[in-house]
Structure formats: structure tokens, C-alpha cells
Amino acid sequence: MAWMLSRVLMLVLGTGVAGGLGYWLGEWMRMPQLAAALAAAAAVILMAVWDAARAHRLVTWLRGDQNDDAPRLGGLWGEMAYRVERGLRDRERRYDRERQQLEQFLLAIEASPNGVILLDGQDHIQWCNVVAGDHFSLDPQRDKLQRITNLVRYPAFVSYLQNGNFQQPLTLTNTRAKSTLQVLVRDYGVGGESRKLVLSLDVTDRERNEAMRRDFVANVSHEIRTPLTVLAGFIETMASLQLTEAERKRVLHLMQQQTTRMQTLVGDLLTLAQLEGSPRPAADHWIALDPVLARVGPDAQALSNGRHELVCERQTGVELAGVETEILSAIANLVSNAVRYTPEGGRIELQWRWTPDHGGETWVIDTGPGIAREHLRRLTERSYRVDGSRSRDTGGTGLGLSIVKHVVQRHGGELRIDSEPGKGSSFRLKFPATRVRLADSPAMGDEAAPAALAGGEGL
Ligand code: ADP
């Protein structure tokens, strides 16, 4: 109501001043009627000019971008300017808040490990995150507003999108990149227009693990079925035929071989299951390495039966934090492999050495056939063999290196394999500084450590 009061006040004042002036002029010219008319006209003109000037200031501000303050006018125009400005500022604040919320929302989606694409009713890309860009080779900025089926040309994807039946996810396999994507589409509507949300997930590792698990089950079943079939055949033979003593002994010997094969396999399977199911070995339970090396030696001798030159480091003075049986089994596996795969006359060494990071590694080197590069990555997969029949003939189960990898990883270390066909192989069990020490010295940063390197000795 203030604007009305001020307007009435201005009106009274304005007409009073203008009327007074007009009246004075009329009186001065001695024409009272003219004086009255001039007074009224002057009052109206003055009011109109004053009003137009104020309206002009407001209209000029409205025509601009309204970034500066509205003109401070007072009265009716002032009230209007104030109301318009307040409405504008409220709307700007609300817009800013919503924009920030949208930005945070998009940042959250951007941080998601899944690919996210928003499509409009005609399958044009409205927005997509970087992960989706990677999955579908899209550029989130450049490809905006492009029709997705012009850019992603997998026939399965195009027909999936066009069919409109999104109940089941689509699995896309890129054989060249050896990757697998799982794609899920959801319909949603905005303002009556149907839109699509496309979610993509890289399931390459999951699929690979699943395939490995399937292969593993198939391989193990096969490994168990073979000796079982042989045993069943022998049992049938013994039950139905009259065998001589010599034949009976031979059959029993073969049956024992098959049983041992199954026992070894089941033993390795149980070891793996146990390794996977038990907690990490304590980091403060120290065991001496030398007795472990001393136990591996005679077994390797027995397995080699004099066919190889075997060299083993015996006095390392090293202690490892971990489980003795596990470390023994890992080293024994590596030495047994070296003996089994190295041809007669070859050399096999078992060594310990400190590494520059104050950790250390046990090292099994052989002059055997070596392993081609393409196999190296897969060697520690369960049941993976470079040469299946050679492995079986020498009593292998295909699980040895898998066990070794598990053991060393549980001890905070890693298995490193270097090999070249024709040049032999080296398998290293690398332990971190926190898990190795010289006997009775603290672990980590042991200055005297290199002095522990002793020369090799025959096994
Ligand atoms: P296996 O019981 O078959 O020996 P492992 O898991 O111990 O199973 O080894 C996997 C494969 O790695 C073996 O089948 C063999 O082909 C290869 N391999 C392991 N150690 C050696 C080695 N010292 N020299 C050559 N090949 C090896």
C-alpha cells in the first residue's frame, strides 16, 4: 500500500506545484479562466512526464539481462521493479540449486563402474558417462545427440534395442578385444515421451572365471574318471579271468599306480580348498628356511634318481613369517616340476637371495625345455598344462603351480616365472620385507642380509 500513498502524495504535490504555477501565470496575464486551464494542463503534463521517465527506467532494465540491480524507483514503478527482481532472483537461486544437484547426480553416475547412457525417444544419445564411452567406443561430448545405432553397430545390440523386449540382459562378446559386456535397457518416460536408460557392465573377468571354473570341473572329472575306468576294467578282469601269479601282480601294480594318481589329485584338490578357506598366515610366526630346504633335497634326489645335477643352497640363516607346511609344499612343487620336466643330464638349482627392497626369494632354476611365452600367463591356472601327456606321465595333476601361487600370495608375496623355450626356466617365490629376516634379527631393512648368501652345495 506504500506505493499508493506515495503516488497520491506525488499527485497532490505535483498538481499543487503545477496548478500554482499555471494559476500564477494566468493571474499575471489577468485572465483567470486561462490561468485555471493552464494550471490543470501543466499539472497533467508534469505528472505524465515524470511517470514516463520512471517507467522508461524500469523497461530499460527489463529489456537488459537483469544482472544488475533493478532501478530504485519508489512508488508504483518501484514496487513493480522490486517484485519482478525478487521473482527473478528466486528463480535464479532455484535454478542454481537444481543445476548443482544435477551436476552432483551426474558426477555420481560418472563414478559408477557401470556404463550409463540416456537415450531420447528416437534413440539419440542425451548423455553418457566415460565408462559407457569406453564400453561402446563413444565420445561422451562429440557423440551427444547422435543416434546410438549409427555408432554402435553390433547387430545383436541394434535388434535388441529395436525389439523393445528388455526383460533379459544382452551379452555382447567382442572376440577381437576378447571382452564381454552385459547390457541392460530400461524404459522410462519424461513428459509423455518414452526414453531409455542403457546400462553396461564389463563382465570379461566374470565370464573368464566362470569358463575357467567350468573347464576345471570338466578336467578334474576327466582326471578322476580315467583311472576309475582303468580300475574298473582291472577289477572286471580279475573277477572274470583266471590269472597267473605274474599277471595278477602286474595288474595289481597297475591298479596301485592308478590309485596313487587319484590320491595325488584328490590330495592337491584338498590342499587348494584348504588354502582358499583358511585365514592368511600370521605375520609374527617365524620359521627357519634351512630345515625346509633340507627336506626338499632328499625328495628331489629320489625323484631324479641320479639323472640330474642338483644344487641346493642350505645355509641361508633366513627365517620366514608363515606356515612351514605351506612353504615346504610350494618349494617342493617347484623342485618336483624342475626334476620332472628337465631331461636327463640337466642341472637344477635351488637358491635363496635377498632382493633390493629387503625382501627375498627362493629360486628354482632348471636347464629344462623352457616354456613358450604364450603359456606363461596361464601356467598358474588350475589344470593348465603345456603338455598334458608329459605332465600325466610324470605324475602331474596340473594343480601344482596353482597351489604354489596361492601359498606365496597368502604370504604377501608373488610367484615370478621366467622361461624361454630351449633355455630352461626359473620360478621365484618372492616374499616381502615384512615376512623375511635373518635368524634373530628384526625383519625389514636388514643391513647384514646380503652376507647370508652362501655358495651352493650338492643336494
Ligand atoms: P603339473 O602337475 O602338470 O606339473 P603344474 O601346475 O605344476 O602342473 O605345472 C603346470 C604346467 O607348467 C605343467 O604341465 C608344465 O607344462 C609346465 N611346467 C611347470 N614347471 C615346468 C618346468 N620347470 N619346466 C617346463 N615346464 C614346466
Side-chain angles (χ1 to χ4, degrees):
M1 280 299 150
W3 65 269
M4 199 189 278
L5 204 71
S6 71
R7 199 168 175 79
V8 169
L9 219 71
M10 292 307 291
L11 205 69
V12 170
L13 249 156
T15 43
V17 171
L21 267 171
Y23 183 77
W24 175 79
L25 202 68
E27 281 296 309
W28 182 68
M29 292 170 72
R30 301 185 189 280
M31 296 171 78
Q33 289 89 347
L34 181 67
L38 274 177
V44 168
I45 289 168
L46 198 72
M47 274 302 296
V49 169
W50 182 67
D51 219 38
R54 285 151 50 91
H56 176 72
R57 282 182 65 196
L58 178 58
V59 169
T60 309
W61 178 75
L62 283 173
R63 278 186 185 150
D65 51 17
Q66 291 107 40
N67 280 338
D68 51 347
D69 291 342
R72 301 283 166 248
L73 296 171
L76 173 62
W77 295 117
E79 180 79 12
M80 276 168 70
Y82 167 73
R83 299 276 164 201
V84 170
E85 186 181 30
R86 201 175 68 171
L88 265 174
R89 299 294 173 238
D90 278 352
R91 199 164 297 181
E92 275 171 8
R93 267 193 296 276
R94 215 168 41 236
Y95 172 76
D96 273 353
R97 249 194 330 268
E98 281 167 8
R99 196 170 45 81
Q100 275 176 13
Q101 277 173 356
L102 181 68
E103 267 170 20
Q104 281 172 9
F105 177 69
L106 292 179
L107 279 175
I109 301 181
E110 198 64 84
S112 150
N114 294 354
V116 181
I117 307 176
L118 304 180
L119 301 179
D120 69 7
Q122 283 74 46
D123 294 342
H124 293 130
I125 299 170
Q126 297 294 301
W127 185 86
C128 92
N129 67 354
V130 176
V131 181
D134 278 354
H135 287 170
F136 295 103
S137 306
L138 297 172
D139 183 320
Q141 296 307 320
R142 191 196 57 208
D143 294 335
K144 226 179 228 178
L145 303 181
Q146 298 287 327
R147 192 185 287 268
I148 193 166
T149 43
N150 291 343
L151 303 171
V152 181
R153 291 178 164 274
Y154 294 100
F157 177 76
V158 175
S159 57
Y160 179 69
L161 213 59
Q162 284 167 353
N163 281 350
N165 179 4
F166 306 128
Q167 273 176 349
Q168 295 298 323
L170 168 76
T171 304
L172 285 179
T173 305
N174 183 339
T175 36
R176 208 169 340 136
K178 291 191 177 144
S179 62
T180 310
L181 276 186
Q182 197 167 64
V183 182
L184 197 71
V185 176
R186 287 287 173 263
D187 269 323
Y188 70 101
V190 175
E193 188 193 1
S194 148
R195 293 176 177 233
K196 294 188 186 87
L197 169 72
V198 181
L199 298 169
S200 58
L201 181 64
D202 187 336
V203 290
T204 312
D205 286 344
R206 202 174 76 190
E207 292 281 307
R208 194 178 293 145
N209 289 342
E210 191 52 32
M212 269 163 54
R213 196 190 61 77
R214 276 196 306 270
D215 286 353
F216 175 61
V217 172
N219 286 338
V220 167
S221 311
H222 179 75
E223 291 290 328
I224 290 180
R225 199 180 55 185
T226 310
L228 273 179
T229 314
V230 177
L231 279 176
F234 285 143
I235 290 169
E236 205 179 306
T237 309
M238 289 183 88
S240 56
L241 295 178
Q242 282 292 335
L243 299 178
T244 63
E245 185 56 22
E247 283 170 337
R248 204 181 66 85
K249 272 193 178 153
R250 202 182 69 82
V251 167
L252 281 176
H253 174 69
L254 290 173
M255 286 172 80
Q256 192 185 19
Q257 265 185 353
Q258 297 302 324
T259 316
T260 309
R261 189 171 150 188
M262 275 201 298
Q263 272 175 335
T264 316
L265 180 63
V266 172
D268 277 359
L269 285 172
L270 285 175
T271 306
L272 263 180
Q274 207 177 6
L275 286 174
E276 279 177 349
S278 46
R280 256 175 96 122
D284 57 355
H285 178 73
W286 294 92
I287 56 145
L289 178 64
D290 293 343
V292 174
L293 299 182
R295 281 174 65 185
V296 175
D299 290 348
Q301 284 283 19
L303 193 63
S304 163
N305 202 13
R307 290 178 297 124
H308 306 96
E309 183 190 350
L310 303 172
V311 177
C312 174
E313 195 161 332
R314 285 199 177 159
Q315 276 158 15
T316 62
V318 169
E319 287 187 338
L320 297 174
V323 180
E324 185 168 358
T325 47
E326 289 186 18
I327 289 171
L328 174 68
S329 130
I331 299 176
N333 254 306
L334 293 184
V335 175
S336 146
N337 276 357
V339 172
R340 288 191 297 117
Y341 294 107
T342 304
E344 190 162 352
R347 179 181 163 92
I348 293 155
E349 283 181 50
L350 170 59
Q351 294 183 353
W352 166 264
R353 73 170 184 188
W354 293 92
T355 50
D357 60 357
H358 304 292
E361 53 194 19
T362 34
W363 209 11
V364 179
I365 319 166
D366 65 54
T367 56
I371 303 160
R373 178 191 283 269
E374 68 265 25
H375 297 294
L376 290 181
R377 202 173 43 86
R378 302 196 56 195
L379 276 191
T380 54
E381 283 176 20
R382 295 166 181 204
S383 308
Y384 188 83
R385 290 154 155 145
V386 178
D387 178 349
S389 58
R390 170 116 184 79
S391 158
R392 274 181 215 99
D393 290 349
T394 56
T397 59
L399 299 176
L401 289 181
S402 190
I403 292 176
V404 174
K405 190 177 94 172
H406 260 84
V407 167
V408 73
Q409 281 182 345
R410 278 163 53 73
H411 286 79
E414 56 180 318
L415 170 64
R416 293 181 180 172
I417 308 174
D418 293 296
S419 189
E420 224 180 292
K423 292 199 175 163
S425 315
S426 90
F427 289 81
R428 287 179 287 155
L429 298 180
K430 165 98 178 66
F431 294 99
T434 45
R435 285 201 177 248
V436 293
R437 68 177 187 191
L438 269 181
D440 302 325
S441 315
M444 286 187 79
D446 223 319
E447 293 291 302
L453 276 175
E457 248 179 71
L459 279 168

